[in-house]
Amino acid sequence: MTEKLFTPIELGDIALANRIAMAPLTRNRADDVTGEVNDLHVEYYAQRASAGLIVTEATQINPVGKGYIQTPGIHTEAQAAAWKKVTDEVHARGGKIVVQLWHVGRISHTDLQPGGGSPAAPSAINAGVQTFTHDGFVDTSTPHAMTEDEIRDTIEDYRKAAAFAIKAGFDGVEVHGANGYLIDQFLKTGANQRTDDWGGSLENRARFLFEVLDVVTKEIGAGRTGLRLSPFSPANGITDEDPQADFEYVVERLNGYGLSYLHVIEGATGGPRDLSEGESLDALRKIYSGPWMGNNGYDRDMAIDAAESGKVDVVAFGRPFISNPDLVERLKRNAPLNEADQSTFYGGGAEGFTDYPKLAEAAE
Ligand code: 8OZ
């Protein structure tokens, strides 16, 4: 019997060969000045093309949206042309790939901002966390509260980035609405103290997310647009007074969009899957009518069970995909997995990026 996890599925307009996705993984190997990916990225993603869907590393939609060194962009012709080499190789191997559209908001530092300015966020509240600059880990800079013009321009930059994504040959985009970055900052009360149309009520805090989705889906189609959320994750210092109420509202409204998929981080990003009292992913899952991608600390058995029961439609694996380019094959065969080396996650070259062996290679 073939387990459901290994069978094809259509996520909106994107047809996947199996229900295993490569989660977005920040690797900090792009050109720091131009934001372009290079030949190593072509090799890295091509090696992982047997994933049902690859979600690229988080990729900034404009220069202000950058918060770490050497992350790629998707806002210039040259960046799109560089990504095109990646998408061509993935497609040549029968894979599907979407680009994760990212704006860090307050998770940045003046050293990374155009003209050394302050990062842009809903409100001028420091996240109180660290980011990675040329000087190593440093405290995040206090952001300025975005003007309404800045908010409008940023939404327009999401639209342009989605257009560049299609030009670059991507099958679609995943809007990064998770992990304490800009969209999550608008959504959650701990980072949004605005008193205009973009803050205060739940409807106002969700306005930025939905306006981004409006322009992106209009530009490239809802069937090519995914969204990632982390309702209950404290990642990057984000807090919220009532995440259950907030995300029940968000998910209910998402039903009207017909997105390719909704990608949900279960628990604390990269950490414990436990939820606090009053928090329920099942309740969100019940409300949502479209394809659901689950993520966070899944192993083979959990993934097979979750797909079999219909709890999730697709499982996204993060760290296992760093060290196992042929993860799908290994899961199919119940073969052992390579261990990932944390010291090469962020930055550097081929080591820890393109040199993890596939099964056959390991056996040689
Ligand atoms: C790890 C390091 C830097 C950024 C996320 C984009 O958590 C990230 C990220 C992860 O979504």
Side-chain angles (χ1 to χ4, degrees), residues 26 58 68 100 102 176 179 181 228 236 269 346:
T26 289
Y68 306 81
Q100 196 192 40
W102 189 34
H176 193 343
N179 295 346
Y181 296 112
R228 194 178 208 215
N236 286 310
T269 313
Y346 309 117

Side-chain angles (χ1 to χ4, degrees), residues 27 81 172 199 245 268 322:
R27 306 303 308 273
I322 289 183

Side-chain angles (χ1 to χ4, degrees), residues 12-66:
D13 294 339
I14 311 174
L16 279 56
N18 58 64
R19 296 162 191 242
I20 297 165
M22 176 176 167
L25 295 158
T26 289
R27 306 303 308 273
N28 309 81
R29 284 161 167 90
D31 187 290
D32 195 50
V33 176
T34 66
E36 289 165 36
V37 291
N38 55 53
D39 290 348
L40 275 181
H41 294 85
V42 176
E43 192 182 349
Y44 166 74
Y45 285 112
Q47 286 172 342
R48 288 157 180 76
S50 57
L53 181 69
I54 293 173
V55 184
T56 69
E57 60 205 279
T59 299
Q60 55 264 3
I61 56 138
N62 65 24
V64 177
K66 180 174 175 176

Side-chain angles (χ1 to χ4, degrees), residues 67-92:
Y68 306 81
I69 54 167
Q70 291 180 303
T71 55
I74 184 77
H75 53 84
T76 71
E77 294 285 349
Q79 289 165 357
W83 276 119
K84 181 77 167 50
K85 295 184 188 164
V86 171
T87 62
D88 281 348
E89 282 302 318
V90 169
H91 289 148

Side-chain angles (χ1 to χ4, degrees), residues 6-347:
F6 304 110
T7 63
I9 185 170
E10 282 178 24
L11 299 183
D13 294 339
I14 311 174
L16 279 56
N18 58 64
R19 296 162 191 242
I20 297 165
M22 176 176 167
L25 295 158
T26 289
R27 306 303 308 273
N28 309 81
R29 284 161 167 90
D31 187 290
D32 195 50
V33 176
T34 66
E36 289 165 36
V37 291
N38 55 53
D39 290 348
L40 275 181
H41 294 85
V42 176
E43 192 182 349
Y44 166 74
Y45 285 112
Q47 286 172 342
R48 288 157 180 76
S50 57
L53 181 69
I54 293 173
V55 184
T56 69
E57 60 205 279
T59 299
Q60 55 264 3
I61 56 138
N62 65 24
V64 177
K66 180 174 175 176
Y68 306 81
I69 54 167
Q70 291 180 303
T71 55
I74 184 77
H75 53 84
T76 71
E77 294 285 349
Q79 289 165 357
W83 276 119
K84 181 77 167 50
K85 295 184 188 164
V86 171
T87 62
D88 281 348
E89 282 302 318
V90 169
H91 289 148
R93 287 163 176 73
K96 297 288 160 74
I97 181 166
V98 297
V99 59
Q100 196 192 40
L101 300 185
W102 189 34
H103 189 303
V104 296
R106 65 180 184 168
I107 310 301
S108 189
H109 189 273
T110 50
D111 283 358
L112 298 161
Q113 290 292 306
S118 58
S123 299
I125 308 167
N126 198 306
V129 298
Q130 293 203 312
T131 183
F132 200 81
T133 70
H134 294 281
D135 298 324
F137 281 103
V138 296
D139 294 343
T140 45
S141 304
T142 299
H144 65 271
M146 295 166 83
T147 63
E148 292 221 36
D149 280 348
E150 268 182 289
I151 294 175
R152 294 265 166 230
D153 289 347
T154 305
I155 293 167
E156 170 63 7
D157 287 341
Y158 274 94
R159 185 194 66 74
K160 288 185 190 156
F164 272 125
I166 297 304
K167 210 168 176 185
F170 285 105
D171 295 287
V173 305
E174 176 177 287
V175 173
H176 193 343
N179 295 346
Y181 296 112
L182 186 62
I183 290 175
D184 209 24
Q185 290 161 29
F186 270 98
L187 280 171
K188 291 180 178 164
T189 53
N192 185 345
Q193 294 181 353
R194 298 182 74 95
T195 53
D196 60 7
D197 287 350
W198 305 91
S201 69
L202 177 46
E203 191 186 344
N204 281 353
R205 281 183 282 120
R207 189 177 309 281
F208 186 75
L209 165 65
F210 286 106
E211 293 219 1
V212 167
L213 289 179
D214 286 341
V215 298
V216 170
T217 56
K218 189 159 175 245
E219 183 68 32
I220 68 168
R224 299 202 174 279
T225 306
L227 170 65
R228 194 178 208 215
L229 296 173
S230 56
F232 309 117
S233 180
N236 286 310
I238 201 79
T239 59
D240 191 53
E241 280 159 23
D242 192 351
Q244 189 66 36
D246 290 356
F247 284 86
E248 285 184 10
Y249 167 87
V250 165
V251 166
E252 173 80 55
R253 268 186 75 182
L254 287 173
N255 278 332
Y257 278 79
L259 295 179
S260 171
Y261 64 91
L262 178 59
H263 184 178
V264 178
I265 298 168
E266 302 166 5
T269 313
R273 293 173 48 82
D274 315 288
L275 302 180
S276 300
E277 217 184 300
E279 298 176 349
S280 167
L281 286 162
D282 288 341
L284 301 180
R285 177 69 175 111
K286 278 202 192 94
I287 293 168
Y288 193 60
S289 57
W292 184 279
M293 186 184 291
N295 169 250
N296 207 26
Y298 276 81
D299 63 19
R300 181 176 188 274
D301 287 346
M302 286 164 67
I304 287 174
D305 288 351
E308 213 62 48
S309 70
K311 240 184 134 140
V312 304
D313 297 296
V314 173
V315 176
F317 287 87
R319 275 169 290 198
F321 255 118
I322 289 183
S323 51
N324 297 278
D326 55 347
L327 183 65
V328 173
E329 186 63 24
R330 286 172 190 258
L331 294 178
K332 256 188 211 163
R333 291 207 226 163
N334 202 9
L337 303 184
N338 299 320
E339 283 297 316
D341 174 8
Q342 290 236 20
S343 71
T344 50
F345 279 3
Y346 309 117

